Amino acid sequence: MDTLNGIISGISSFLWGLPMIIMLLGTHIFLTIRLRFPQRKIFTAIKLSVMRDKGSSGDVSQFGALATALAATIGTGNIIGVATAVSLGGPGAVLWCWLTGVFGIATKYAEGLLAIKYRVRTKEGKMIGGPMYALESGLGWKWMAVLFAVFTAIASFGIGNTVQANAIATIAHSSYSIDPWISGIVICGLTAAVILGGVKSIARVCGMLVPFMALFYVFGCIYILCVNHTYLIPAFKVIVHDAFSPAAAGGGLVGSTVMMAARYGIARGLFSNESGLGSAPIVAAAAKTKNPVRQALVSSSGTFWDTVVICALTGLVIVSSILAYPDIDFKDGARLTHAAFSKIPYIGSPLLSFGLLTFAFSTILGWSYYGEKAVEYLKGKRWTYPYRLFYIIAVFIGSIANLQIVWNLADCMNALMAIPNLLSLLLLNGVIVHETRKYLWRDRLDRDMD
């Protein structure tokens, strides 16, 4: 098993190496320029996300689709992942993570647009779409669409299920001495209660859970930054300095090269917001929207909230805490996170526990839909309920098992999802530009789809 884990770990490191980072970040920058900086429309996107397109085709509201995508995206990577980037790449990694989110808005916009453009209506009258449909209908690459669906289905049991359940069980045990099998049963019950109701149930629960957990975490981070206010400006300076300087500035911080800061910051940012991964478009296809561009804008706001806001706040909390408390061990991401938050009396540790627990559970809900639609694409509607049953069982297994090999396998599947999705975005960029010109550049956002 150790040998197999080592092999999978090596493959994961290769897949998430420099070529993948260049491909993802390159796509972000290319689409940003090609689409005339759609980041400029972020406030329009936020406004659209809370509006209802009455009479439009779809299964859930635009906000419901966004909340479900955010549920899957906002996870432990927003907290521990950022700390890991800082511990490995230095404080400058926070700036690179943030910049990745800014440019990733364009990619998430493009994914959402193609999801609506190529979605189809099932015999039951439901809307279904995602990169597999863009690959098949837009490029005629049925074989590549099948591969994407296979990778997505496998990934849903990894990064979207077992590793999240394991994180919840571990936190519950370490913080409240709850046995993992008890946590597993509770998580199974909660998961079953939500996902057995389908996308409307998932979207409804995520629509209530995501704003609450995100706001609670954001306000908690702001409180911590107020406590650390003396070190807030120095933290900004250290982050910017370290992002472009050969070594970190500031007392006690680990030195890092610009390449290390960029590598780990970009990698964590990409992994956190999932722009380019191809997951979020699957639920975006179910949204009720007048035209592809409206949902594209709504989808793009997900990256803004996930990385530009939440990851940035986490990074500032981590770096300001390192400056405020020089005794913090910053050589391990998980320990760094715990140490940084626990230094704040009363609210620090509960905030961390609440954030990790709710973020992990929401990820389980969001990814259940991604995997289900991938399986439906491969095997048809009749496999929906068997998939949900296996997914619920996997939650319990994840709660009590050692999952190092699953972590590495999940990383591999995510990388393999990204490759065909990025190809579809690059090769169909003409379609994306055409739709953007029709509805956005000509100021026709209220126009119904032709």
Side-chain angles (χ1 to χ4, degrees):
M1 187 61 70
D2 289 341
T3 302
L4 178 60
N5 185 44
I7 294 172
I8 296 176
S9 178
I11 295 173
S12 174
S13 297
F14 170 76
L15 289 173
W16 282 106
L18 190 59
M20 175 60 77
I21 291 175
I22 292 174
M23 187 176 183
L24 274 163
L25 188 59
T27 301
H28 290 352
I29 296 172
F30 169 75
L31 290 173
T32 293
I33 297 172
R34 186 82 167 92
L35 297 172
R36 302 179 186 176
F37 293 84
Q39 293 88 343
R40 296 178 295 110
K41 299 292 184 179
I42 191 61
F43 293 109
T44 300
I46 294 171
K47 179 182 177 182
L48 288 173
S49 68
V50 295
M51 295 174 61
R52 290 183 177 272
D53 281 1
K54 296 180 180 180
S56 301
S57 299
D59 303 323
V60 297
S61 66
Q62 291 177 315
F63 178 76
L66 174 63
T68 303
L70 278 173
T73 304
I74 299 177
T76 53
N78 293 82
I79 304 176
I80 295 178
V82 174
T84 300
V86 172
S87 66
L88 295 175
V94 175
L95 180 61
W96 288 107
C97 179
W98 185 82
L99 289 173
T100 300
V102 172
F103 285 107
I105 289 172
T107 300
K108 191 63 72 72
Y109 168 92
E111 290 178 317
L113 190 152
L114 291 182
I116 300 297
K117 177 68 176 178
Y118 292 108
R119 68 180 180 178
V120 299
R121 188 183 296 275
T122 66
K123 295 178 180 178
E124 295 79 17
K126 304 293 184 181
M127 287 295 187
I128 185 171
M132 50 276 204
Y133 294 89
L135 286 163
E136 179 180 352
S137 301
L139 295 173
W141 290 0
K142 174 72 174 179
W143 63 276
M144 187 71 83
V146 169
L147 285 177
F148 176 86
V150 169
F151 297 145
T152 302
I154 296 174
S156 71
F157 284 98
I159 196 65
N161 182 318
T162 50
V163 297
Q164 303 298 333
N166 188 264
I168 294 173
T170 300
I171 296 163
H173 184 262
S174 61
S175 301
Y176 309 106
S177 300
I178 300 174
D179 287 335
W181 67 269
I182 296 178
S183 299
I185 292 174
V186 173
I187 305 167
C188 272
L190 292 174
T191 303
V194 178
I195 71 172
L196 290 177
V199 65
K200 291 184 178 180
S201 175
I202 295 172
R204 183 169 59 253
V205 172
C206 290
M208 294 184 292
L209 177 62
V210 169
F212 172 73
M213 73 181 193
L215 285 173
F216 184 88
Y217 182 74
V218 166
F219 285 135
C221 285
I222 292 173
Y223 170 79
I224 293 176
L225 292 176
C226 289
V227 174
N228 292 346
H229 69 276
T230 304
Y231 299 92
L232 187 55
I233 299 301
F236 271 112
K237 292 180 179 179
V238 167
I239 288 170
V240 175
H241 178 276
D242 192 47
F244 303 103
S245 177
L253 294 181
V254 65
S256 62
T257 65
V258 174
M259 196 63 199
M260 286 174 62
R263 175 187 173 187
Y264 290 109
I266 291 171
R268 286 298 98 188
L270 295 171
F271 197 79
S272 172
N273 60 53
E274 296 184 9
S275 293
L277 190 63
S279 51
I282 297 175
V283 70
K288 297 177 181 178
T289 185
K290 290 182 178 180
N291 57 64
V293 170
R294 287 176 72 92
Q295 182 54 40
L297 287 170
V298 172
S299 294
S300 71
S301 68
T303 298
F304 171 80
W305 293 122
D306 176 87
T307 306
V308 179
V309 175
I310 294 180
C311 283
L313 284 173
T314 303
L316 283 172
V317 167
I318 297 294
V319 177
S320 65
S321 296
I322 292 175
L323 293 175
Y325 309 101
D327 61 318
I328 287 180
D329 178 10
F330 49 79
K331 296 181 180 179
D332 177 83
R335 292 179 182 176
L336 172 57
T337 305
H338 184 268
F341 279 83
S342 63
K343 289 291 184 180
I344 307 303
Y346 307 115
I347 192 176
S349 294
L351 173 65
L352 177 61
S353 297
F354 177 83
L356 290 172
L357 288 170
T358 54
F359 285 10
F361 179 64
S362 70
T363 300
I364 292 174
L365 298 182
W367 268 91
S368 70
Y369 183 76
Y370 297 160
E372 179 181 315
K373 294 298 114 177
V375 169
E376 185 176 336
Y377 177 82
L378 293 169
K379 303 296 291 184
K381 187 70 175 178
R382 65 184 182 278
W383 280 83
T384 295
Y385 284 101
Y387 168 82
R388 293 176 184 173
L389 178 61
F390 285 128
Y391 195 85
I392 294 167
I393 294 172
V395 168
F396 181 78
I397 295 174
S399 301
I400 61 175
N402 185 335
L403 296 176
Q404 185 57 50
I405 191 170
V406 178
W407 265 109
N408 291 326
L409 182 61
D411 284 347
C412 291
M413 292 302 104
N414 283 347
L416 292 173
M417 285 173 62
I419 293 171
N421 180 59
L422 291 173
L423 287 174
S424 70
L425 293 174
L426 293 172
L427 294 176
L428 293 172
N429 75 86
V431 174
I432 299 169
V433 169
H434 174 76
E435 296 295 319
T436 301
R437 180 183 296 111
K438 182 192 297 184
Y439 297 107
L440 184 61
W441 297 345
R442 294 177 179 172
D443 197 23
R444 297 176 178 175
L445 278 177
D446 291 329
R447 179 178 174 181
D448 289 331
M449 192 167 13
D450 295 336

